[in-house]
Amino acid sequence: MRIGELATKTGVSVRALRYYEEQGLLTSARSSGGQRHYLDDAVDRVYLIQMLYAAGLSSRTILDLLPCVDAKVNTPQSRAMLRAERDRIDRQITQLRQARERLDAVIALSESPASGCTRADTDAAVA
Amino acid sequence: MRIGELATKTGVSVRALRYYEEQGLLTSARSSGGQRHYLDDAVDRVYLIQMLYAAGLSSRTILDLLPCVDAKVNTPQSRAMLRAERDRIDRQITQLRQARERLDAVIALSESPASGCTRADTDAAVA
DNA sequence: CTTGTCCCTCACGTGAACGTCAGGTTCTAC
DNA sequence: GTAGAACCTGACGTTCACGTGAGGGACAAG
């Protein structure tokens, strides 16, 4: 498939896909005219990249991790890197949970009858 | 206290504190000479701001949320906003968990004896 | 009254992950 | 073979949360 199709399939912009290739995260075959062509598994690859971006990893870190995910590299260093990133994500989850609890407390307070809001207000907010 | 002390107490840079004030997230009294002075509760305020930044909220969103947290604003709109941000954080946590599980699977694979690494390798990576 | 440290306000620099033109080529369909 | 859609390569623009000087006041100590 060409880049436009991959973009619509994954919901990622064409520019982003070219950027991923620029960063070495995604590879493509080229037609005689220079156009990029992708295999079907590129879709999963893009999803994985997006997932790691969403987890707060940088392009550089993803670039380092991908060979491990592909099981092409398996050294003590690579395993240490994997664990380090997993732990970083764990810490981030903890932080997010704290923020979530904090917001939840505020929400509970703001929706309690004593806070001066009426039931109608609350219903209107839901609608 | 002055800005330097607040910075060291919170572990946030002086520049960041001034930036928070610029964004309307933090207020300060000024001395006759124009220097910022903070009350003790500014420390908690900064921690809260940092927590919300860590949760991926923008300055603008934090600016909108803070009056709710301070229980100074409690409208249907503000409650809807609080819930929206909480839900966003929930989704982010879900994404992070997925990424974490994915990494965990890779780690389990890379550390399994069948993957071609020796026990000594594994121990070395831990050290 | 000077020294040193802290503080002030501009204001430009930064890095990441793209967005967005410009100008030109390739592919598809009729 | 020609129109139009999709694609190409630069290359500059954007946003955010600050970093980093430049140049100059504020304030406690001696």
Side-chain angles (χ1 to χ4, degrees), chain B residues 21 25 35 41-42 46 72 89 96 101 104-105 108 113 117-118 121 126-127:
Chain B
E21 181 168 328
L25 309 179
Q35 302 204 346
D41 57 11
V46 171
K72 286 183 177 163
I89 293 176
L96 279 175
E101 283 174 22
D104 258 352
C117 74
T118 71
D121 283 346
V126 170

Side-chain angles (χ1 to χ4, degrees), chain A residues 48 51-52 54-56 65 68-69 71 74 76-77 79-80 82-83 85-86 89-90 92-93 95-100 102-104 106-107 109-111 115 117-118 121-122 124-126, chain B residues 48 51-52 54-56 65 68-69 71 74 76-77 79-80 82-83 85-86 89-90 92-93 95-100 102-104 106-107 109-111 115 117-118 121-122 124-126:
Chain A
L48 174 60
M51 170 183 285
L52 295 177
L65 287 184
C68 311
V69 177
N74 186 5
Q77 290 80 6
R79 287 190 294 276
L82 284 167
R83 278 193 295 266
E85 286 308 318
R86 182 197 52 185
I89 292 176
D90 277 349
Q92 200 172 336
I93 289 178
Q95 287 226 329
L96 279 175
R97 271 213 269 263
Q98 284 177 14
R100 194 224 132 96
R102 183 74 190 245
L103 276 188
D104 258 350
V106 174
I107 289 172
L109 213 76
S110 73
E111 290 180 348
S115 71
C117 75
T118 71
D121 282 347
T122 307
V126 170
Chain B
L48 174 60
M51 169 182 286
L52 295 178
L65 287 183
C68 310
V69 177
N74 186 4
Q77 290 80 7
R79 287 190 294 277
L82 285 167
R83 278 193 296 266
E85 285 308 316
R86 183 198 52 187
I89 293 176
D90 276 350
Q92 200 171 336
I93 290 177
Q95 287 224 330
L96 279 175
R97 271 213 269 263
Q98 285 177 15
R100 193 223 133 95
R102 182 78 191 243
L103 276 188
D104 258 352
V106 174
I107 290 172
L109 212 76
S110 72
E111 290 179 349
S115 70
C117 74
T118 71
D121 283 346
T122 306
V126 170

Side-chain angles (χ1 to χ4, degrees), chain B residues 1-123:
Chain B
M1 81 184 80
R2 292 192 298 173
I3 197 169
E5 191 178 347
L6 182 59
T8 56
K9 274 188 180 173
T10 58
V12 170
S13 75
V14 169
R15 176 67 174 96
L17 294 176
R18 286 203 270 255
Y19 177 76
Y20 296 166
E21 181 168 328
E22 195 181 317
Q23 301 299 309
L25 309 179
L26 191 63
T27 56
S28 63
R30 295 301 185 104
S31 72
S32 57
Q35 302 204 346
R36 293 173 178 81
H37 284 266
Y38 300 93
L39 301 176
D40 288 351
D41 57 11
V43 175
D44 286 339
R45 184 65 156 199
V46 171
Y47 283 148
L48 174 60
I49 294 172
Q50 285 283 93
M51 169 182 286
L52 295 178
Y53 272 132
L57 308 199
S58 68
S59 293
R60 176 68 214 190
T61 307
I62 297 177
L63 180 61
D64 293 338
L65 287 183
L66 280 181
C68 310
V69 177
D70 292 339
K72 286 183 177 163
V73 170
N74 186 4
T75 67
Q77 290 80 7
S78 74
R79 287 190 294 277
M81 187 168 53
L82 285 167
R83 278 193 296 266
E85 285 308 316
R86 183 198 52 187
D87 293 349
R88 211 188 46 71
I89 293 176
D90 276 350
R91 285 194 297 274
Q92 200 171 336
I93 290 177
T94 301
Q95 287 224 330
L96 279 175
R97 271 213 269 263
Q98 285 177 15
R100 193 223 133 95
E101 283 174 22
R102 182 78 191 243
L103 276 188
D104 258 352
V106 174
I107 290 172
L109 212 76
S110 72
E111 290 179 349
S112 74
S115 70
C117 74
T118 71
R119 175 57 59 187
D121 283 346
T122 306
D123 293 346

